Amino acid sequence: MSEHRGVWAYSENKDLMLELLGKGSRLAGKLQTQLTAVMLGHDIKKQVKELIGYGAHKVIVVDNPQLKVFHVEPYLSALTQLTKQHKPELFLMGSTKRGKELAARLAARLNAGCVSDCLELKVDEQGRLLAERIVYGGNAIVTQVFRTKPQIVTIPRRRFEKLKYTEESKGEVVDISDVQLEVAKTEIVKVKPIEIAETRIEEAEVVIGGGRGLEKKEDFKILDELAQILGGQVGYTRPLVEDRKWFTEWVGLSGHTIKPKLYIACGISGVIQHVAGIRDSKIIAAINRDPEAPIMEMADYIVIGDLYEIVPALSEALRKLLASS
Amino acid sequence: MVRILVCVKQAIDVSQLKVDSATRRLIIADAPKKISDFDKNALEEAIRIKEKLGGEVLTVTTGPEDAKTTLREALAMGADKAYLINDSIFENSDTLATSYVLAEAIKKIGAFDIILCGEASIDSFSAQIGPRLAERLGIPLITYARKLSLEGDTVTAERGLEDCSETVRAKMPVLVTVTKEINEPRTPSYMAIMKAFKKEIVIWKAADLNIPSEKVGEAGSAVQVLDVLAPKVERKKIVIKGETAMEIAEKLAKTLIQEGIIVR
Ligand SMILES: Cc1cc2nc3c(=O)[nH]c(=O)nc-3n(C[C@H](O)[C@H](O)[C@H](O)COP(=O)(O)OP(=O)(O)OC[C@H]3O[C@@H](n4cnc5c(N)ncnc54)[C@H](O)[C@@H]3O)c2cc1C
Ligand SMILES: Nc1ncnc2c1ncn2[C@@H]1O[C@H](COP(=O)(O)O)[C@@H](O)[C@H]1O
């Protein structure tokens, strides 16, 4: 166990990878060890410098035509060989859907532990890593420790900040492109990209949330108008996406976790799984006609009323006030 | 004829979980339990495949003795036979140890064409058991399936990922994890519930599967729980009142501007 050294980071998502490096470099400092970035793909060597500039002391590159498109098995076999050979003590992986599958399967192959969707990672006085995550649908936060190494954790988008880019940073580059990779067991027959909002919802400073209180899809326009005035974005609850198929992304436990400065929940009941995704918002306002809705317990400012009256009025009031100031 | 196994978890009904607000501890012992939501979707999908192509749907869980109630629910929905893997030495198992128990059970139950799991369980939400099982059993895996179809020895699924929807194919045997939108699970009829009592629930202990104590429970787990606490909720809960919508809106607008969170 003691032979495991070093913090590693890997995500197939570029932005998330830089965030993992940000958190990883702080953890590596605490653990007095090095931070290694793992790069998998094809024709990727140009990106090595960027990872070093964002905090990696070392980059392990596997540049291989078999890794051109993301298929789990070749990626997984590369990661398995690397971790078996180099034995990191901590492996930070991105909590995308692809990443979660990869991490769980890597953990299975290494007979290792894995903590999914970590919201916080700390090193205690004894040098133990404490991993925190949401459980019981958002009712609680669990703190977990590992009994074995490597310790594998997955981390969602926008949880941690990336470091400032430093052009002059130097780092070691290890090229292990010459590995045997497993062939994929599944075949991709079709890929249909989904439209992703220009600014990601996690990045918006103001989010206007719409729930089943919206009667028709077009009515999102009144929320969008308010969002425009505040320079923010509109987000939704899961039923608007899954049941009504109006939109493609939602906020909450199984969707995006956001921490805007202001969240305005419109026609949202505030069931625990939704609340899990908005808990860290600085200010929460709620507009709902039901005074008993659970969102009332989670809000700083509460309006009991019809969103179809309140939201347009709020847009108008803000427009006036902001124009005069 | 398709042989399908559905892994179901008896989960805590998180919507009915109470918190002691003084200590922020959860009152787990009193919380009702139920089949984890997405496992119902997995069961529904299995039963639909059986109704179309014929075959057998078995279901397995590892958990406490009262997980039998969960299995009865699965049998009422239409599963043919259920397995409960229960032993006090399994308590406090993490995903490493739980997936080991399930894999050993599945190997003993027999060969399957398709194994179905939920995308994640509603109480732990780790999304690890399915992928770990596929690795332990050495079969292909398709995660986050929201559409599933069968043709010959091939399974085709549509997966919803963050940036795309991906249609993938794999040869059976295969393990598939399903999301909520794959179907609308049926509510069993009274007749179906009565019939479920006649169906068999096999109970196996650790010894029946030759599972050594050091590979399960706390000893066999790589991850250990230190503490579970309800998050702090510190919200102002100020109700903004007024005669008209406009009056309320103006008050709210002013308040939000005073908070200094509106940057423009
Ligand atoms: C495992 C699991 C994971 C989940 N993950 C998520 C998740 O990530 N995100 C998520 O959002 N959900 C998630 N859900 C679903 C979640 O449990 C709730 O069903 C969902 O959040 C409810 O959405 P809602 O508030 O829009 O609808 P409802 O609960 O139906 O609430 C609608 C609200 O609108 C109010 N209303 C109606 N009309 C008006 C009006 N004209 N003006 C003002 N108010 C009005 C009503 O009073 C009501 O409170 C998950 C569920 C499970 C089981
Ligand atoms: N104790 C269990 N018994 C049987 N199946 C389980 C158990 N725990 C989890 N699963 C299966 O694994 C899926 C994912 O669970 P989890 O990894 O806890 O998110 C569930 O939807 C179930 O299909």
Side-chain angles (χ1 to χ4, degrees):
Chain A
M1 189 161 151
S2 55
E3 56 182 331
H4 286 87
R5 280 307 272 157
V7 176
W8 281 25
Y10 173 75
S11 174
E12 82 290 350
N13 177 303
K14 264 198 193 161
D15 296 315
L16 184 48
M17 180 66 185
L18 302 184
E19 291 164 16
L20 297 182
L21 290 178
K23 183 65 184 171
S25 71
R26 283 184 285 272
L27 288 169
K30 290 224 181 78
L31 295 165
Q32 299 176 358
T33 186
Q34 279 208 319
L35 174 64
T36 299
V38 179
M39 267 182 89
L40 308 176
H42 186 48
D43 257 344
I44 47 173
K45 292 197 176 129
K46 289 186 291 288
Q47 298 159 33
V48 169
K49 192 174 169 353
E50 188 183 17
L51 298 182
I52 292 171
Y54 278 106
H57 302 126
K58 184 168 148 184
V59 182
I60 298 180
V61 186
V62 185
D63 192 332
N64 190 303
Q66 254 182 285
L67 300 173
K68 190 168 172 151
V69 176
F70 186 97
H71 273 107
V72 185
E73 286 82 7
Y75 273 69
L76 179 60
S77 64
L79 291 177
T80 312
Q81 289 171 63
L82 295 177
T83 38
K84 278 193 175 158
Q85 195 184 344
H86 298 273
K87 298 190 171 35
E89 62 198 282
L90 169 60
F91 199 166
L92 310 176
M93 297 179 73
S95 258
T96 57
K97 287 178 181 170
R98 292 185 180 96
K100 281 208 267 198
E101 173 180 340
L102 204 53
R105 293 177 70 175
L106 177 66
R109 289 187 177 194
L110 300 171
N111 231 357
C114 178
V115 175
S116 313
D117 301 319
C118 280
L119 296 186
E120 189 50 275
L121 278 169
K122 291 179 208 148
V123 177
D124 72 0
E125 313 85 62
Q126 303 164 44
R128 291 184 306 181
L129 181 81
L130 308 183
E132 292 181 6
R133 65 184 301 265
I134 292 177
V135 279
Y136 300 120
N139 279 295
I141 311 280
V142 62
T143 307
Q144 293 177 307
V145 285
F146 287 83
R147 305 174 68 237
T148 61
K149 285 179 184 162
Q151 312 169 94
I152 300 174
V153 303
T154 72
I155 293 177
R157 245 341 288 280
R158 287 289 286 171
R159 211 46 230 183
F160 300 109
E161 302 288 327
K162 57 184 177 208
L163 301 178
K164 269 229 304 285
Y165 182 72
T166 322
E167 177 77 30
E168 309 78 44
S169 296
K170 294 259 178 312
E172 185 191 347
V173 181
V174 184
D175 191 322
I176 325 193
S177 298
D178 188 20
V179 286
Q180 284 287 332
L181 300 173
E182 278 171 37
V183 292
K185 284 185 184 162
T186 55
E187 179 198 348
I188 301 175
V189 276
K190 200 167 90 196
V191 177
K192 206 171 95 201
I194 53 176
E195 279 173 47
I196 300 176
E198 260 169 58
T199 27
R200 300 185 56 97
I201 189 99
E202 289 97 333
E203 262 130 76
E205 301 224 319
V206 174
V207 175
I208 312 299
R212 294 209 314 182
L214 284 180
E215 280 158 25
K216 298 191 299 296
K217 182 179 173 185
E218 302 77 66
D219 297 344
F220 91 95
K221 286 196 190 111
I222 64 168
L223 304 185
D224 193 47
E225 192 193 355
L226 179 58
Q228 298 287 333
I229 294 168
L230 297 172
Q233 254 196 277
V234 185
Y236 302 99
T237 60
R238 181 164 173 158
L240 265 48
V241 178
E242 300 294 302
D243 304 338
R244 298 187 183 170
K245 315 253 186 268
W246 288 354
F247 310 105
T248 52
E249 297 178 82
W250 68 86
V251 171
L253 180 69
S254 53
H256 295 278
T257 305
I258 57 171
K259 39 178 182 178
K261 289 189 177 145
L262 172 63
Y263 183 72
I264 308 183
C266 309
I268 292 177
S269 60
V271 172
I272 196 92
Q273 291 97 0
H274 182 74
V275 165
I278 61 164
R279 197 177 285 286
D280 293 338
S281 308
K282 190 153 179 280
I283 296 286
I284 296 178
I287 300 167
N288 194 310
R289 28 175 211 217
D290 175 10
E292 304 282 304
I295 192 77
M296 305 299 172
E297 291 300 311
M298 267 308 291
D300 297 291
Y301 300 107
I302 296 166
V303 175
I304 295 163
D306 188 336
L307 76 91
Y308 285 94
E309 291 171 17
I310 304 292
V311 175
L314 183 61
S315 294
E316 197 186 321
L318 279 166
R319 203 181 283 120
K320 272 194 225 146
L321 284 167
L322 293 172
S324 64
S325 61
Chain B
M1 298 285 275
V2 197
R3 259 173 77 81
I4 309 173
L5 178 74
V6 184
C7 298
V8 301
K9 180 179 182 185
Q10 170 176 270
I12 306 245
D13 185 349
V14 297
S15 61
Q16 299 197 49
L17 194 55
K18 299 266 181 308
V19 178
D20 178 338
S21 53
T23 60
R24 287 164 59 208
R25 299 272 161 207
L26 305 180
I27 309 167
I28 303 265
D30 296 349
K33 296 174 183 172
K34 62 171 192 179
I35 298 190
S36 185
D37 296 35
F38 308 138
D39 300 355
K40 275 198 184 168
N41 298 98
L43 275 165
E44 177 66 35
E45 200 60 23
I47 296 156
R48 288 188 191 182
I49 297 171
K50 179 188 143 181
E51 284 168 351
K52 212 161 132 196
L53 302 172
E56 201 177 15
V57 174
L58 305 186
T59 179
V60 64
T61 193
T62 164
E65 238 164 272
D66 66 7
K68 259 180 146 172
T69 348
T70 294
L71 292 177
R72 285 268 174 247
E73 230 183 295
L75 292 171
M77 275 182 74
D80 299 300
K81 187 174 171 183
Y83 292 82
L84 169 60
I85 319 301
N86 158 266
D87 203 304
S88 56
I89 66 169
F90 299 160
E91 275 168 38
N92 299 321
S93 288
D94 69 350
T95 53
L96 174 72
T98 302
S99 63
Y100 170 70
V101 172
L102 282 171
E104 291 307 299
I106 294 170
K107 285 179 201 160
K108 183 162 169 166
I109 297 171
F112 290 95
D113 301 308
I114 306 176
I115 299 176
L116 293 176
C117 286
E119 143 191 11
S121 60
I122 52 164
D123 51 359
S124 347
F125 220 80
S126 82
Q128 284 186 30
I129 299 293
R132 281 186 184 265
L133 269 179
E135 280 298 318
R136 287 190 184 271
L137 299 170
I139 58 176
L141 168 69
I142 299 173
T143 48
Y144 303 100
R146 57 178 183 206
K147 259 188 208 153
L148 198 63
S149 61
L150 260 72
E151 215 184 291
D153 61 351
T154 306
V155 167
T156 305
E158 189 187 299
R159 315 170 63 206
L161 299 176
E162 286 88 352
D163 54 350
C164 67
S165 97
E166 195 182 78
T167 308
V168 297
R169 255 202 308 249
K171 288 241 183 308
M172 296 196 284
V174 59
L175 193 147
V176 182
T177 78
V178 306
T179 66
K180 179 171 174 281
E181 63 270 32
I182 195 164
N183 56 40
E184 192 58 51
R186 68 193 67 191
T187 314
S189 66
Y190 178 73
M191 278 291 288
I193 294 168
M194 294 319 287
K195 255 170 74 186
F197 281 96
K198 299 212 182 73
K199 294 180 183 171
E200 188 184 5
I201 298 182
V202 178
I203 301 178
W204 283 337
K205 295 278 165 196
D208 296 312
L209 298 168
N210 294 320
I211 289 178
S213 60
E214 70 271 13
K215 293 202 80 170
V216 290
E218 209 165 293
S221 294
V223 176
Q224 207 178 332
V225 171
L226 270 194
D227 208 0
V228 183
L229 271 184
K232 276 198 208 101
V233 184
E234 284 160 351
R235 293 286 168 189
K236 300 190 189 92
K237 297 195 235 176
I238 297 169
V239 180
I240 308 229
K241 293 189 181 130
E243 291 297 316
T244 62
M246 202 57 216
E247 189 189 332
I248 298 174
E250 274 166 4
K251 279 192 200 164
L252 178 58
K254 280 186 192 141
T255 315
L256 294 178
I257 290 171
Q258 273 160 17
E259 281 277 1
I261 39 176
I262 293 171
V263 271
R264 312 177 120 191

